[in-house]
Amino acid sequence: MEKKLLLIDVDCGVDDAQAMMMALAAPNVQILGVTCTHGNTEIENVCKNVLRVLKVCQRTEIPVYQGAGTSLLGAQLNADHYHGKDGLGDVPDPNAPGLEYLQAEHAVNAMIRIATEHPGQVSLVAIGPLTNVAMAFKMDPTFPLKLRHLYIMGGNMESRGNVTMCSEFNFAADPEAAYIALNRFACPIYIATWEYCLRHALPWEFFKEWVNQGTEKASLMKKITAHSEKFAKDRQGNRELYFGPGFVSCDSFAMAAAIDESIVTEYIRCGVSVELQGSVTRGMMIVDTVNLLQKQNKAFIMTKCDIEKFKQLMMSALK
């Protein structure tokens, strides 16, 4: 079977690690590179975290590239309350690989080069702020045409936010970059929104079984998720609006769709954009259900998932 060629752009926090491990375990996937962007933690931590995940999965041959350290406008948002200050739950590994294992090439140059070397064959899975993705377009406007698909974890479809009232973290961390990705990319775009992820939360019983598989990968996952597990359960105890009961691995939903398109059982298809001006809505994804934007490239917004298939991919990730 011909392997799916993936390029993965991450801001490696806990769920990025989960999504990467899912892709690394998938027999039908070849990862051509991992590009790093700011987001859940500072760029240097993101790079170290990616190298650490590749090491535990025994896949250190996959090249890793450092990219944007701030948004296009120079801002920085982080999520250390959830992911820990280092992005992986603040449980350091003294034997983790250092930054000397990074490629010298900048992530954006690597993205353009890899897409150019495999025209029409590479799916880009973007599971952090979209800064590198937007910069690749700015440097090479033909870049989107060279991609097979763009999979995004980010944005929202019901104006439900997890950073501000109306914006999801990856879009809020660089609204201008998200705007460029949604308005300038002509390849098919598939979006796993914040609400889609929340709607498919997994039971905590599944989480317990998942991290107790007794493998080296599961042992790492158990350590790095302890911080976010506590945070999520505390929030659920307070009945916070945006955390329903259950374990949510946001980035894994975009990755699962890239690995096996049959996992997504329903989409809505419409034009999408991003609000850049609003005092409470900056960074919010606009879903044009009435086609006022008259966009030719309508995005596929995921709405329903085959949760049993998704669970199988999650389990395989830590085997």
Side-chain angles (χ1 to χ4, degrees):
M1 188 168 68
E2 197 180 346
K3 294 207 169 191
K4 294 187 172 181
L5 303 184
L6 298 189
L7 182 57
I8 306 175
D9 188 60
V10 302
D11 60 336
C12 196
V14 175
D15 58 337
D16 303 74
Q18 292 158 1
M20 278 177 61
M21 289 165 100
M22 179 186 276
L24 290 162
N28 65 324
V29 163
Q30 182 183 346
I31 300 169
L32 299 176
V34 182
T35 53
C36 301
T37 184
H38 67 99
N40 289 323
T41 182
E42 290 174 3
I43 188 69
E44 289 79 10
N45 290 338
V46 172
C47 296
K48 286 178 192 165
N49 295 347
V50 169
L51 292 165
R52 185 176 170 187
V53 170
L54 291 176
K55 185 187 174 195
V56 80
C57 295
Q58 301 180 347
R59 295 296 301 280
T60 51
E61 81 283 359
I62 294 172
V64 182
Y65 307 89
Q66 182 168 327
T70 67
S71 75
L72 292 177
L73 300 186
Q76 248 184 318
L77 193 61
N78 69 49
D80 52 16
H81 59 288
Y82 181 78
H83 295 276
K85 283 205 173 2
D86 71 353
L88 288 186
D90 295 326
V91 280
D93 171 8
N95 301 313
L99 295 174
E100 67 275 11
Y101 288 93
L102 291 175
Q103 302 296 310
E105 188 179 16
H106 190 279
V108 176
N109 294 335
M111 285 170 130
I112 294 166
R113 175 181 56 74
I114 291 166
T116 304
E117 286 169 358
H118 306 273
Q121 297 173 67
V122 179
S123 291
L124 172 56
V125 185
I127 51 181
L130 292 158
T131 314
N132 288 337
V133 179
M135 283 169 70
F137 168 77
K138 295 306 258 179
M139 286 180 68
D140 177 5
T142 69
F143 171 69
L145 301 171
K146 294 169 183 169
L147 294 174
R148 186 172 182 184
H149 304 116
L150 171 60
Y151 290 91
I152 295 171
M153 188 282 127
N156 44 13
M157 52 187 166
E158 295 159 12
S159 70
R160 191 189 306 208
N162 62 353
V163 177
T164 67
M165 199 188 315
C166 296
S167 65
E168 175 278 332
F169 179 87
N170 286 343
F171 280 26
D174 197 340
E176 280 70 23
Y179 183 92
I180 289 167
L182 297 191
N183 285 286
R184 300 285 183 264
F185 275 59
C187 60
I189 300 174
Y190 297 85
I191 305 174
T193 64
W194 173 235
E195 295 95 337
Y196 171 76
C197 300
L198 290 184
R199 206 161 279 144
H200 295 95
L202 298 170
W204 285 111
E205 296 78 39
F206 170 85
F207 173 83
K208 194 173 173 185
E209 183 190 348
W210 183 60
V211 295
N212 286 304
Q213 293 188 64
T215 63
E216 194 184 349
K217 293 184 211 174
S219 163
L220 172 74
M221 191 54 66
K222 192 172 183 175
K223 276 188 234 163
I224 67 173
T225 50
H227 180 89
S228 53
E229 180 190 2
K230 183 176 184 304
F231 176 87
K233 285 178 172 173
D234 286 352
R235 283 297 175 103
Q236 287 164 18
N238 296 340
R239 303 207 59 74
E240 283 275 349
L241 281 176
Y242 64 77
F243 270 105
F247 159 60
V248 182
S249 180
C250 290
D251 293 338
S252 300
F253 286 101
M255 187 63 78
I259 293 169
D260 177 2
E261 49 277 350
S262 74
I263 278 185
V264 185
T265 55
E266 278 184 32
Y267 292 97
I268 54 172
R269 197 172 178 199
C270 52
V272 287
S273 189
V274 180
E275 174 57 50
L276 298 179
Q277 306 300 331
S279 59
V280 293
T281 54
R282 177 169 155 77
M284 175 176 135
M285 188 167 92
I286 296 155
V287 181
D288 181 21
T289 52
V290 289
N291 201 29
L292 289 178
L293 295 175
Q294 296 283 304
K295 293 185 75 165
Q296 281 190 300
N297 189 24
K298 294 178 166 54
F300 295 87
I301 303 171
M302 304 173 200
T303 54
K304 284 195 182 165
C305 166
D306 183 330
I307 208 71
E308 290 311 314
K309 279 189 181 175
F310 181 73
K311 283 180 180 173
Q312 283 166 15
L313 281 182
M314 291 289 282
M315 290 301 283
S316 299
L318 302 187
K319 276 200 167 65

